[in-house]
Amino acid sequence: MKHFKKLVNPYIVWSLFLIVVPLFLIVLYSITKGTSTLVNISFTAEHFRKIFEPVYLNVFFKSLKLGLATTVICLFLGYPMAYIISKAREEVQGILILLVTIPMWINTLLRTYAWISLLSDNGLVNSFLSLLGINPVNMMYTDFSVIIGLICDLMPFMVIPIHTSLAKMDHSLVEAAADLGANRVQTFTKVILKLSLPGIINGITMVFLLSISTFVIPKLLGGAQYTLIGNLIEQQFISIGDWNFGSAISLILALVIIALMRFMNKIDPEEKGGE
């Protein structure tokens, strides 16, 4: 037992400096002003009240709108993909999952620049349309370009959890449903979909939270004027230097993450997945 405690101690120290201390500083900055030093600090709620100003509420609503759109599209595209992979032979499943995750090996910045070369006014897509005699389409710096970039970047986070639930599913239940006279639609809705629900919840949670908190893709594909929650936090910490307001926004986002994680645990409290 003593040797086990010695092994745990370095993890506790790293957790303290990398998780606890940063979270404490975020909370401290969000409820105080003038915290360049810990002397003569004053507590205030003005940073949280500032979030409810129309300009910042618009940022939150736009982030939620694009996050929901990205999540829904990833779900409708990712579920069939995960289902097809789960029906393949085990050795083929490994290859297909590898193909899904390979884009994650490439830096997000490089993948985003690749989309710029595709969607820009003189990009590959518009060049192909010109060859067909079709006028160029303005795709860059729009909701469309941002959502396309987010889907490309976050699709693996939807496919993999759903595939995990489907792979763990007891297929004898599907056979039993067929024996009891259920057709394919009934078998899917009553058995397969319900057993894969934990994977769906995990995928929705990860894709939604990542889509509303990212800042690289909206900044490059949406333009400098395109601001989501992630961009707003980046601006407060790096460009404007208002760490107090940036911390307040970060704390609100962290509370949203915690609330969604609790909801996910209620759906699948013992993380049994499809078992």
Side-chain angles (χ1 to χ4, degrees):
M1 192 66 179
K2 290 182 179 180
H3 295 293
F4 177 74
K5 289 183 178 179
K6 289 181 180 179
L7 293 174
V8 172
N9 287 336
Y11 174 77
I12 295 175
V13 173
W14 278 109
S15 298
L16 178 66
F17 282 100
L18 298 179
I19 300 176
V20 177
V21 173
L23 284 176
F24 171 76
L25 291 176
I26 288 175
V27 174
L28 179 65
Y29 273 101
S30 67
I31 60 175
T32 58
K33 56 183 178 180
T35 53
S36 56
T37 64
L38 295 179
V39 181
N40 296 326
I41 61 174
S42 57
F43 294 93
T44 179
E46 68 178 64
H47 310 301
F48 293 99
R49 287 195 294 266
K50 189 176 179 182
I51 294 175
F52 293 97
E53 294 180 6
V55 62
Y56 300 118
L57 284 178
N58 287 335
V59 171
F60 274 84
F61 289 140
K62 190 170 188 177
S63 301
L64 292 175
K65 182 185 74 172
L66 291 183
L68 287 172
T70 302
T71 304
V72 170
I73 296 172
C74 282
L75 177 60
F76 277 94
L77 295 178
Y79 195 98
M81 191 183 304
Y83 183 76
I84 292 170
I85 293 174
S86 69
K87 298 293 286 185
R89 299 194 309 272
E90 286 191 16
E91 57 271 17
V92 178
Q93 286 188 37
I95 298 173
L96 294 176
I97 288 295
L98 180 64
L99 293 176
V100 171
T101 56
I102 277 178
M104 299 176 66
W105 302 0
I106 305 172
N107 185 274
T108 302
L109 197 60
L110 296 177
R111 280 182 283 162
T112 306
Y113 276 117
W115 277 111
I116 293 176
S117 67
L118 287 170
L119 302 177
S120 61
D121 293 341
N122 298 318
L124 294 177
V125 174
N126 276 322
S127 298
F128 179 72
L129 292 177
S130 298
L131 291 175
L132 299 177
I134 302 174
N135 292 329
V137 179
N138 180 30
M139 293 177 284
M140 281 296 296
Y141 311 129
T142 63
D143 289 354
F144 172 79
S145 61
V146 174
I147 290 175
I148 287 292
L150 290 172
I151 291 171
C152 176
D153 193 61
L154 302 178
M155 182 63 76
F157 294 98
M158 182 67 73
V159 174
I160 293 175
I162 296 176
H163 169 264
T164 301
S165 287
L166 290 171
K168 292 163 59 179
M169 182 176 61
D170 186 355
H171 291 280
S172 64
L173 297 175
V174 177
E175 296 172 358
D179 292 339
L180 292 172
N183 57 36
R184 290 186 177 182
V185 175
Q186 291 173 327
T187 301
F188 176 77
T189 55
K190 300 294 185 180
V191 180
I192 298 175
L193 187 61
K194 286 187 176 181
L195 292 176
S196 62
L197 188 59
I200 294 174
I201 296 298
N202 283 327
I204 288 175
T205 302
M206 287 191 288
V207 171
F208 180 74
L209 293 178
L210 290 172
S211 63
I212 65 173
S213 60
T214 186
F215 62 90
V216 173
I217 294 174
K219 187 173 184 178
L220 294 178
L221 295 180
Q225 79 286 351
Y226 207 96
T227 304
L228 299 183
I229 295 177
N231 304 103
L232 185 61
I233 294 173
E234 182 208 16
Q235 289 172 7
Q236 300 305 314
F237 278 100
I238 297 178
S239 303
I240 300 176
D242 189 351
W243 287 27
N244 302 92
F245 185 47
S247 296
I249 302 171
S250 302
L251 187 59
I252 293 295
L253 191 59
L255 293 175
V256 171
I257 293 173
I258 292 171
L260 286 176
M261 293 298 291
R262 285 183 62 85
F263 173 74
M264 183 186 68
N265 288 335
K266 287 183 179 180
I267 295 295
D268 193 24
E270 298 181 8
E271 297 184 357
K272 291 182 179 180
E275 291 182 352

